[in-house]
Amino acid sequence: MSNFNSKYKFVDMFNKKRTLFYFVIFTLLIFWFIGIRSRDASQYQILKQTLEHTKEELRISSINYNILKKRFESICDKWQPNIPIIYAITPTYKRPVQKAELTRLSNTFRLVNNFHWIIVEDSEMKTSLVANLLIKSNLNYTHLAIGTPAEWKRKLKEPKWKKPRGVKQRNKALEWLRNNRANENDEGIIFFADDDNTYSVDLFNEMRTVKGVGVWPVGLVGGLLVEKPLINIKGKVIGWNSAWRPERPFPVDMAGFAINLKLLRKRPNAAFSWDVSRGFQESAILSQVTTVEQLEPMADNCTKVYVWHTRTEEPILKAEEKLKNRGLRSDMNIEV
């Protein structure tokens, strides 16, 4: 009987140990399974995030590729190897109508063959508004930025004519041309295309033949319907039809002339200046590269108008100011 009891106790103890062993093993298996599931879920999330990131990068790359492809094709379509490039220099600054005016310009420039737009912002840094517009323009362009010194900035409500504008920006563009188009084989025409003018494509076809400095009439400027050079029977400039400061050495608007790139290389110090009277910026640059006798009349002997100093009307934004006073904006999350 005692022998049977001892055997029974041994079997019972063995069964308890075996049950405990199985319980421990089962518990470890559960923890291991949970660990595997959680590890796999973590790895799955990492893999999923990587795939999503890669997909987004590929999408952006695809968009960028399509933009570059479209731009390249557009430039190639407008490229003619035997004619000089027109380098249009446009100073621009932040204001409500900036994008509207640059859009109008870009739509005209798209129609011109062998064209390079040098746009220079009056800013310490390039802005996304201008950068986005240039990318979408499909034009061949150079985007630069340089700020006007504080002492030369126009104060609020100060008339536009009070201080010269675009001096640093135009000089920055001339510097870029000297540094990047210094090869004698580079044929080009420099034109100062302000963003508040309206241009006919015919103007660019005309200026491409300029050998030194070409001049032509400008509409709606200086208080006249047209401001223009006066031409004699020999086809030479002998004076100017100009009402505002006609005593200027070159009484011409910024949109009324173009300079051959070779003159810029021959005159490495030619530049715009702060130290000139109001309205003398054109005379300042032209006096450094040419004389009146050397000017080349364009636009059918200065009898046609291909550029107008139209200017966009300043918008009245009183309602916008009321919104701003309430901490709101109508252009929230939208580029105007």
Side-chain angles (χ1 to χ4, degrees):
M1 189 72 174
S2 60
N3 194 19
F4 174 80
N5 288 337
S6 61
K7 284 183 179 182
Y8 177 79
K9 288 179 181 179
F10 174 79
V11 170
D12 185 54
M13 185 175 64
F14 176 78
N15 287 335
K16 286 180 179 180
K17 287 183 177 180
R18 186 173 61 180
T19 302
L20 180 63
F21 174 77
Y22 287 152
F23 176 77
V24 170
I25 293 297
F26 181 71
T27 303
L28 289 175
L29 283 171
I30 289 174
F31 281 114
W32 178 79
F33 181 72
I34 292 172
I36 288 292
R37 287 293 302 272
S38 117
R39 187 185 67 186
D40 288 349
S42 174
Q43 289 178 342
Y44 171 75
Q45 285 295 347
I46 293 171
L47 181 60
K48 183 180 178 183
Q49 289 172 4
T50 303
L51 288 172
E52 290 294 330
H53 181 69
T54 304
K55 187 163 71 173
E56 180 64 15
E57 284 186 335
L58 287 172
R59 187 185 71 82
I60 293 170
S61 298
S62 177
I63 291 171
N64 290 340
Y65 168 78
N66 289 331
I67 290 172
L68 289 172
K69 179 174 177 288
K70 189 175 179 182
R71 180 181 161 203
F72 177 76
E73 289 172 348
S74 175
I75 293 169
C76 288
D77 288 342
K78 294 294 179 183
W79 176 254
Q80 294 179 349
N82 298 320
I83 62 174
I85 298 171
I86 292 174
Y87 295 97
I89 296 171
T90 301
T92 187
Y93 64 98
K94 183 179 179 180
R95 61 199 191 279
V97 299
Q98 183 184 27
K99 185 177 181 181
E101 295 198 310
L102 291 176
T103 298
R104 184 182 68 248
L105 250 65
S106 67
N107 288 337
T108 299
F109 293 163
R110 286 177 188 176
L111 305 174
V112 183
N113 295 330
N114 291 34
F115 189 86
H116 188 122
W117 195 8
I118 305 176
I119 189 163
V120 192
E121 295 193 65
D122 187 350
S123 170
E124 298 303 323
M125 298 179 64
K126 302 172 188 176
T127 65
S128 59
L129 183 146
V130 175
N132 291 337
L133 184 141
L134 286 170
I135 290 171
K136 293 175 183 176
S137 72
N138 293 325
L139 289 165
N140 189 18
Y141 68 84
T142 295
H143 185 188
L144 305 171
I146 186 169
T148 296
E151 63 271 22
W152 289 104
K153 281 188 176 292
R154 184 168 64 97
K155 295 181 176 62
L156 191 65
K157 297 184 179 180
E158 193 173 29
K160 288 183 178 180
W161 50 261
K162 195 75 174 177
K163 291 176 180 175
R165 292 179 297 154
V167 175
K168 292 277 283 186
Q169 290 72 39
R170 293 188 184 99
N171 285 341
K172 181 75 172 178
L174 294 179
E175 178 187 354
W176 184 90
L177 281 168
R178 288 189 175 101
N179 291 337
N180 295 277
R181 297 294 183 269
N183 193 315
E184 290 185 0
N185 295 325
D186 290 326
E187 294 287 337
I189 306 297
I190 304 165
F191 176 58
F192 299 98
D194 288 351
D195 60 5
D196 57 355
N197 295 334
T198 300
Y199 304 92
S200 167
V201 175
D202 294 327
L203 176 66
F204 303 100
N205 295 331
E206 285 268 342
M207 74 172 70
R208 215 182 291 276
T209 62
V210 169
K211 304 300 181 186
V213 175
V215 291
W216 47 78
V218 178
L220 311 178
V221 67
L224 296 173
L225 278 173
V226 59
E227 185 180 78
K228 62 182 180 180
L230 300 175
I231 314 300
N232 65 12
I233 57 173
K234 295 181 179 179
K236 293 291 184 180
V237 177
I238 57 171
W240 307 84
N241 177 39
S242 176
W244 189 83
R245 301 294 296 269
E247 75 278 8
R248 288 175 289 162
F250 295 86
V252 60
D253 186 75
M254 194 67 72
F257 65 92
I259 304 171
N260 194 294
L261 182 60
K262 67 182 181 183
L263 285 184
L264 188 68
R265 288 196 289 262
K266 290 180 180 178
R267 307 287 192 277
N269 297 319
F272 292 91
S273 173
W274 301 107
D275 302 321
V276 296
S277 300
R278 177 170 67 91
F280 277 70
Q281 288 298 326
E282 296 88 348
S283 294
I285 190 70
L286 289 174
S287 297
Q288 298 173 71
V289 298
T290 191
T291 64
V292 173
E293 294 74 25
Q294 294 172 323
L295 294 174
E296 303 163 39
M298 313 299 292
D300 197 8
N301 245 8
C302 294
T303 62
K304 291 184 172 63
V305 176
Y306 294 138
V307 55
W308 298 262
H309 197 42
T310 44
R311 295 183 181 178
T312 301
E313 182 181 4
E314 288 290 335
I316 299 172
L317 301 172
K318 291 182 179 178
E320 190 70 34
E321 294 303 318
K322 290 180 180 178
L323 275 179
K324 288 180 181 178
N325 291 336
R326 292 162 48 197
L328 302 171
R329 296 180 67 97
S330 67
D331 62 337
M332 191 70 71
N333 300 321
I334 187 171
E335 189 179 84
V336 182

